[in-house]
Amino acid sequence: MAQSRDTLERYRQKREARRTPEPIADEARREQNDGPIFVIQLHDASTRHYDFRLEVDGVLKSWAVPKGPSTDPRVKRLAIPTEDHPLAYADFEGVIPAGEYGAGTVLIWDRGHYRNLKEDNAPPSVAEQLADGHATVWLEGEKLRGGYALIRTRLEQGKDWLLVKIDDEAADARRNPTSTEPESVRSGRTLEQIAAEEDQDGNGH
């Protein structure tokens, strides 16, 4: 767990606890019988994007996906790795104040549990797969379901990744959920509604 603490320290260094409503502490979640969690947050920062996060070894491994996930296996989405986030961040929805790192509105676009798709006798963990640059997981979300692959590219020393839908029974080239389903699965609100309500409250939280 030393690795988790080190990466979360980078998360905390970028945030001012007195100014942002984001969770700062590494809060423990109660044990889930359904497996590790995933969350996808729509983040209207300087550039609107989707944050794809997987619970791995006690933290949320995170990637910024500019165009969001696709349900079409032919589509490859750029996924840019970001710092690990605390598990408590999976419940965060609100407005990060202007002047703070990542300033802008955040909503929980999708969430649920996931499982490792490797089914060998001694399958590599998701952490081991990510270290090798190719991980496959099955998502059970409210908007997304099915297999997804995270593949590290070889460009620029492999700093970026691709998020690709696996061609399975849950694949659907006709769907475009990032366009047709913009609301939060937590509150049913849009980014605009969250921003307006948080501004009306006057506390950004």
Side-chain angles (χ1 to χ4, degrees):
M1 293 299 293
Q3 177 71 19
S4 297
R5 286 195 294 271
D6 289 343
T7 56
L8 285 179
E9 184 61 29
R10 289 196 285 272
Y11 165 89
R12 287 188 285 268
Q13 287 174 352
K14 293 182 176 183
R15 290 160 176 85
E16 175 56 60
R18 295 171 297 178
R19 291 183 52 84
T20 180
E22 299 165 278
I24 300 299
D26 183 14
E27 301 173 16
R29 299 175 64 93
R30 64 180 183 276
E31 186 173 347
Q32 298 282 354
N33 294 326
D34 295 324
I37 64 169
F38 83 92
V39 65
I40 302 172
Q41 287 157 311
L42 178 54
H43 188 179
D44 192 17
S46 55
T47 301
R48 185 174 294 191
H49 63 276
Y50 294 77
D51 290 308
F52 181 82
R53 312 190 196 279
L54 296 175
E55 178 185 353
V56 179
D57 290 347
V59 297
L60 291 173
K61 292 291 184 182
S62 301
W63 295 260
V65 184
K67 293 185 178 180
S70 175
T71 56
D72 185 348
R74 299 171 298 179
V75 175
K76 297 178 174 64
R77 296 296 202 209
L78 175 66
I80 304 163
T82 64
E83 73 275 8
D84 293 350
H85 283 52
L87 292 179
Y89 208 95
D91 297 321
F92 174 67
E93 182 170 282
V95 177
I96 302 170
E100 298 303 301
Y101 176 76
T105 307
V106 177
L107 66 71
I108 299 174
W109 186 78
D110 197 17
R111 62 182 176 184
H113 294 85
Y114 79 90
R115 61 179 171 85
N116 186 350
L117 267 182
K118 298 291 186 182
E119 296 180 347
D120 305 329
N121 289 332
S125 68
V126 172
E128 291 170 331
Q129 292 178 56
L130 290 173
D132 288 339
H134 191 289
T136 54
V137 296
W138 181 279
L139 304 182
E140 284 289 348
E142 298 182 46
K143 294 179 182 178
L144 298 184
R145 181 178 176 274
Y148 279 83
L150 277 162
I151 306 164
R152 187 164 54 216
T153 69
R154 299 304 174 191
L155 300 176
E156 297 183 5
Q157 300 179 345
K159 292 180 180 179
D160 292 335
W161 294 66
L162 297 174
L163 178 65
V164 184
K165 178 72 188 76
I166 293 173
D167 193 0
D168 54 30
E169 65 269 24
D172 189 346
R174 298 165 298 178
R175 282 188 70 201
N176 186 12
T178 55
S179 175
T180 60
E181 303 175 52
E183 299 85 6
S184 163
V185 295
R186 176 183 177 181
S187 65
R189 298 180 295 176
T190 63
L191 283 170
E192 292 73 21
Q193 289 171 327
I194 292 172
E197 291 173 16
E198 299 286 332
D199 182 63
Q200 189 175 41
D201 289 343
N203 57 15
H205 188 205

